[in-house]
Amino acid sequence: MPQKIKGFSKLSKEAKIEWISDQFFEKSEEAIDLLKKYWHQDPKVQKLHDEFIENTLSNYYMPFGVAPNFMIDGKLFTIPMAIEESSVVAAAAKSASYWLERGGFKTTIVSTKKVGHVHFIYQGNADKLRAFFKQVVPKLEEDTEELTANMRARGGGIIDLKLIDKRSEMEDYWQIEALFETCDSMGANFINSCLEQFSQTFQRELKAQENFSKAEKAIQVVMCILSNYTPECIVRSEVSCKVEELNGDAGISPEEFAQKFKRAVRIAEIEPYRATTHNKGIMNGIDAVIIATGNDFRAVEAACHTYASKDGKYSSLTHCEVKDGIFRFWIEVPLALGTVGGLTRLHPMVKFSLDLLQQPNSEELMSIVASSGLAQNFAALRALTTTGIQKGHMKMHLLNILNQLEATQAEKDTIVEYFKDKVVSHSAAVNKFCELRGIEKPEAVKKTK
Ligand code: MEV
């Protein structure tokens, strides 16, 4: 029975590993070896990774691949992707090549503002609070001048400050809502520092007001925090071509393909069950680039899903139109990204990714990420509405199955060649492997025959 432990974070890395392996692993030496095998060979690089988080024991590998041939706003990109799912990079690369021949991706940065709130409780006269807020705004700005100096020098800073009455949703609940421009940084620390300063200034200045009662002065600041929902930090990416330029796929004409594709998007627009999977596919393309470029994929996920529900029902992040012989397919997503700050200068692979993307600024990165999401969705819908998804997916998954079976390279080559013109299933792959080795099929596979 594992024991509880006090002061774990204070132990040395070696001691932590020893404790973990003793407590949870029968073969503790093997557990230790495994963790150490995944250490970086250069102790300096390993130390860097150790210091990203607390209680680091080792590294967790994820494949890092690239999808070439992305033409975005007339510029060619090879997009870095960190992801474990077999078919994602292949799908992105396929879509990129497809649209490269049809004019590529065209993007628009709709807006780049970030938002944060001081959430507080005020039990006094509303008009007095509104009047006080108007008067205190210059003080809020003045007291954050030091915090905002660098950002202002880069063309950003505080854009707007509003007092918001939320009492219809919760008793005595008010907000200071602040809009920010954070230029090429994601800006979370900058925003949160400004909000905490607003809170202090606001309370200090309120205390000095003579026309406020003692009770009115006793506001309760519940919290100061940025919002990861950024409906004013939006990018659009679009592909389009003449319907006749679309490939007839799997025996259907370009016109039929366009209509079927449009219907598939429409289903995701009206049906939350489908919208969730549809958007999950989009996030395959988005998250992989977000992770490769050292951005916060949890923040982006949260924002995208809230945005997908903005009209009161969870819906598709992409849309499609077939009109006057033109096929148009586009995505609109909130992406609060940074190309400076955070991990961007620290993680060597993040630095590599940004170099590969030719050092984009945050707006260019928004365009690249949105296009990757759109490409991913195009590939998924193209497969779903024609051949079905499993053909391509299982082909990519075949190597995972063979690796699980511990197939040799020669066996893998033979089996991959064998499935070139056949549909892969787990049982078919195991069957083929057993046949090649001349061994008994496992019971489960026998039963599926
Ligand atoms: C799988 O990771 C993603 C898909 O399910 C997306 C979709 O259905 O559109 C293929």
Side-chain angles (χ1 to χ4, degrees), residues 434-446:
C434 293
E435 187 188 303
L436 193 65
R437 276 220 175 158
I439 55 172
E440 267 281 289
K441 287 165 202 156
E443 282 308 310
V445 175
K446 271 191 219 160

Side-chain angles (χ1 to χ4, degrees), residues 172-205:
D172 303 325
Y173 174 30
W174 293 79
Q175 295 173 343
I176 299 174
E177 181 174 271
L179 276 187
F180 300 89
E181 175 54 66
T182 60
C183 306
D184 287 333
S185 63
M186 194 255 188
N189 285 329
F190 166 72
I191 294 174
N192 288 335
S193 301
C194 288
L195 293 170
E196 288 184 5
Q197 183 58 54
F198 294 154
S199 161
Q200 281 181 20
T201 304
F202 192 78
Q203 292 180 81
R204 185 195 69 218
E205 292 297 314

Side-chain angles (χ1 to χ4, degrees), residues 240-297:
S240 67
C241 67
K242 290 185 183 150
V243 170
E244 70 214 39
E245 286 167 5
L246 291 167
N247 264 9
D249 268 292
I252 60 173
S253 69
E255 290 74 20
E256 254 180 289
F257 171 70
Q259 289 304 334
K260 214 173 166 196
F261 189 98
K262 188 178 120 180
R263 253 181 226 130
V265 176
R266 187 70 196 134
I267 290 171
E269 284 170 340
I270 60 164
E271 167 55 73
Y273 276 101
R274 174 57 201 150
T276 306
T277 318
H278 177 98
N279 289 346
K280 185 276 180 189
I282 294 171
M283 300 318 288
N284 280 343
I286 291 186
D287 285 346
V289 191
I290 298 281
I291 295 170
T293 56
N295 275 277
D296 181 343
F297 68 93

Side-chain angles (χ1 to χ4, degrees), residues 2 6 39 45 81-82 89 135 144-145 165 194 202 214 249 267 281 296 321 324 327 405-406 409 411 430:
K6 246 187 154 179
W39 282 359
V45 178
M81 302 181 97
V89 177
Q135 163 199 328
T144 44
E145 261 172 14
D165 183 350
C194 288
F202 192 78
K214 203 168 168 207
D249 268 292
I267 290 171
D296 181 343
E321 183 185 82
D324 303 330
F327 172 90
L405 295 167
E406 296 182 0
Q409 189 55 50
E411 286 167 338
V430 177

Side-chain angles (χ1 to χ4, degrees), residues 85 87-88 274 276-282 284 376-377 379-381 384 389 393:
E85 190 173 325
S87 52
V88 170
R274 174 57 201 150
T276 306
T277 318
H278 177 98
N279 289 346
K280 185 276 180 189
I282 294 171
N284 280 343
Q376 202 60 222
N377 191 223
L381 293 181
L384 284 166
I389 202 76
H393 185 76

Side-chain angles (χ1 to χ4, degrees), residues 110-122:
V110 179
S111 49
T112 59
K113 293 181 203 112
K114 321 275 166 65
V115 62
H117 299 94
V118 177
H119 303 266
F120 68 95
I121 303 296
Y122 168 74

Side-chain angles (χ1 to χ4, degrees), residues 102-159:
R102 292 164 179 80
F105 296 78
K106 312 231 161 52
T107 74
T108 316
I109 303 296
V110 179
S111 49
T112 59
K113 293 181 203 112
K114 321 275 166 65
V115 62
H117 299 94
V118 177
H119 303 266
F120 68 95
I121 303 296
Y122 168 74
Q123 292 173 325
N125 179 286
D127 288 337
K128 266 160 71 181
L129 185 69
R130 288 192 192 97
F132 166 68
F133 183 75
K134 260 196 197 144
Q135 163 199 328
V136 83
V137 164
K139 266 264 168 247
L140 297 178
E141 286 168 348
E142 194 185 310
D143 282 7
T144 44
E145 261 172 14
E146 216 179 289
L147 286 170
T148 60
N150 276 341
M151 200 59 90
R152 280 184 285 116
R154 288 194 265 144
I158 301 160
I159 296 176

